[in-house]
Amino acid sequence: DTAVSQTPKYLVTQMGNDKSIKCEQNLGHDTMYWYKQDSKKFLKIMFSYNNKELIINETVPNRFSPKSPDKAHLNLHINSLELGDSAVYFCASSQELAGGRELFFGEGSRLTVL
Amino acid sequence: AQSVTQLGSHVSVSEGALVLLRCNYSSSVPPYLFWYVQYPNQGLQLLLKYTSAATLVKGINGFEAEFKKSETSFHLTKPSAHMSDAAEYFCAVSQNSGYSTLTFGKGTMLLVSP
C-alpha cells in the first residue's frame, strides 16, 4: 500500500490550460505539503496544510490553488499554465507541522507545459 | 531564517571507496537536520535526521552523519560505496520552534563507478 500517492504521474499540456494534481496519504498524518522541484533538482515548498487549514503559502502565484477536502487529501489546481510551471511537483505528509518530523513523499507528478 | 549549502553538485567515487557529502547550515535557532535520498524518478526518502540527541546519527543503508555546531556542518558519510548508492542526496534544515518547514539544499548527485 502506497503511503503517499499522487495522480497523474505525468502531465503534458499546452500553455494557457488548467490542470489538477491529486494527492492522498494513508498514514493518518495531520500535515500535507506541496513542493516544486525544478529542472536543476532544487526543491521549494509551495504550500502546507495542517488539518485542512492552510498554514504556509510561500508566495506562490494565485494561479496555483491548493484544496484540502479532508486531512488525507491535498489537491493542487493550476490555472493558465505557463512554460515556467514545467517541473516535478511532490506531495508530502508529516505527522504534524513541527520541525523535527519526517516528511513522507509521493513519487512526484511531472508537468510539462508546451 | 534558515538555509543549507551543499558543497559540490556532483561527487564521484569508486565502488568500495569512502563517501563524503558536505552540508553546512544556517539557522537562527537550534536546528533539526536531515539527509534525504532521491533515486531516479522517485520521491525523496529519509536517510537520517538530527534532532538534538546524539551528535553522531546513524541512518539506513550504512550512512551516518555528524552534527558539529562549531562548524555548522552536518556531513554525510559511508565507509564503502555500493553501486546502488548512486542517487541525488539532499540536506535539509528545519527549526526547533513553532511551525517550521523543511528547507532543502540544492542536492548532490553521487556517482559510483565500478
Side-chain angles (χ1 to χ4, degrees), chain A residues 56-106:
Chain A
I56 292 169
N57 177 341
E58 286 288 326
T59 60
V60 177
N62 290 340
R63 299 182 297 102
F64 290 79
S65 51
K67 283 206 172 91
S68 182
D70 55 62
K71 71 176 194 178
H73 295 85
L74 180 61
N75 304 323
L76 183 65
H77 187 75
I78 316 170
N79 290 325
S80 305
L81 279 155
E82 300 178 356
L83 292 176
D85 298 332
S86 294
V88 182
Y89 293 84
F90 284 100
C91 178
S93 72
S94 64
Q95 194 168 352
E96 58 188 351
L97 185 53
R101 294 297 181 184
E102 175 184 357
L103 264 62
F104 292 79
F105 284 82

Side-chain angles (χ1 to χ4, degrees), chain A residues 35 37 41 56 99-100 103 106, chain B residues 32 36 38 43 49 94 101-102:
Chain A
Y35 276 83
Q37 186 174 47
K41 298 287 183 88
I56 292 169
L103 264 62
Chain B
Y32 293 130
Y36 281 81
Q38 184 180 26
K49 67 177 181 179
S94 64
T101 56
L102 275 185

Side-chain angles (χ1 to χ4, degrees), chain B residues 1-7 21-35 50 52 55 65-75 91-96 102-105:
Chain B
Q2 58 193 31
S3 65
V4 161
T5 302
Q6 291 182 242
L7 295 176
L21 304 182
R22 298 178 187 273
C23 172
N24 288 88
Y25 70 90
S26 171
S27 177
S28 54
V29 298
Y32 293 130
L33 292 159
F34 304 78
W35 277 99
Y50 166 78
S52 73
T55 56
E66 187 171 8
F67 173 70
K68 291 187 177 179
K69 185 178 177 181
S70 60
E71 299 177 9
T72 62
S73 68
F74 190 57
H75 302 330
C91 184
V93 62
S94 64
Q95 293 189 338
N96 183 5
L102 275 185
T103 299
F104 285 90

Side-chain angles (χ1 to χ4, degrees), chain B residues 5-12 20-23 35 88-89 106-110:
Chain B
T5 302
Q6 291 182 242
L7 295 176
S9 58
H10 292 80
V11 169
S12 294
L20 170 61
L21 304 182
R22 298 178 187 273
C23 172
W35 277 99
E88 189 90 28
Y89 291 80
K106 293 191 175 181
T108 299
M109 173 66 75
L110 176 64

Side-chain angles (χ1 to χ4, degrees), chain A residues 5-73:
Chain A
S5 58
Q6 301 178 224
T7 54
K9 194 163 182 173
Y10 299 96
L11 305 93
V12 181
T13 189
Q14 301 286 331
M15 270 197 325
N17 284 350
D18 304 339
K19 285 293 177 189
S20 292
I21 307 171
K22 295 187 175 181
C23 179
E24 176 181 6
Q25 54 97 0
N26 63 6
L27 297 166
H29 288 169
D30 286 344
T31 307
M32 296 185 72
Y33 312 79
W34 280 109
Y35 276 83
K36 179 180 179 180
Q37 186 174 47
D38 63 22
S39 58
K40 295 185 179 175
K41 298 287 183 88
F42 183 57
L43 274 157
K44 187 170 165 55
I45 181 106
M46 299 174 69
F47 301 103
S48 171
Y49 271 72
N50 192 56
N51 276 321
K52 304 191 298 173
E53 182 184 347
L54 179 65
I55 301 296
I56 292 169
N57 177 341
E58 286 288 326
T59 60
V60 177
N62 290 340
R63 299 182 297 102
F64 290 79
S65 51
K67 283 206 172 91
S68 182
D70 55 62
K71 71 176 194 178
H73 295 85

Side-chain angles (χ1 to χ4, degrees), chain A residues 102, chain B residues 33-35 46-51 53-67 74-79:
Chain A
E102 175 184 357
Chain B
L33 292 159
F34 304 78
W35 277 99
L46 182 69
L47 273 179
L48 49 80
K49 67 177 181 179
Y50 166 78
T51 55
T55 56
L56 182 62
V57 181
K58 293 189 186 296
I60 62 172
N61 301 338
F63 284 94
E64 63 181 38
E66 187 171 8
F67 173 70
F74 190 57
H75 302 330
L76 182 71
T77 59
K78 181 173 180 177

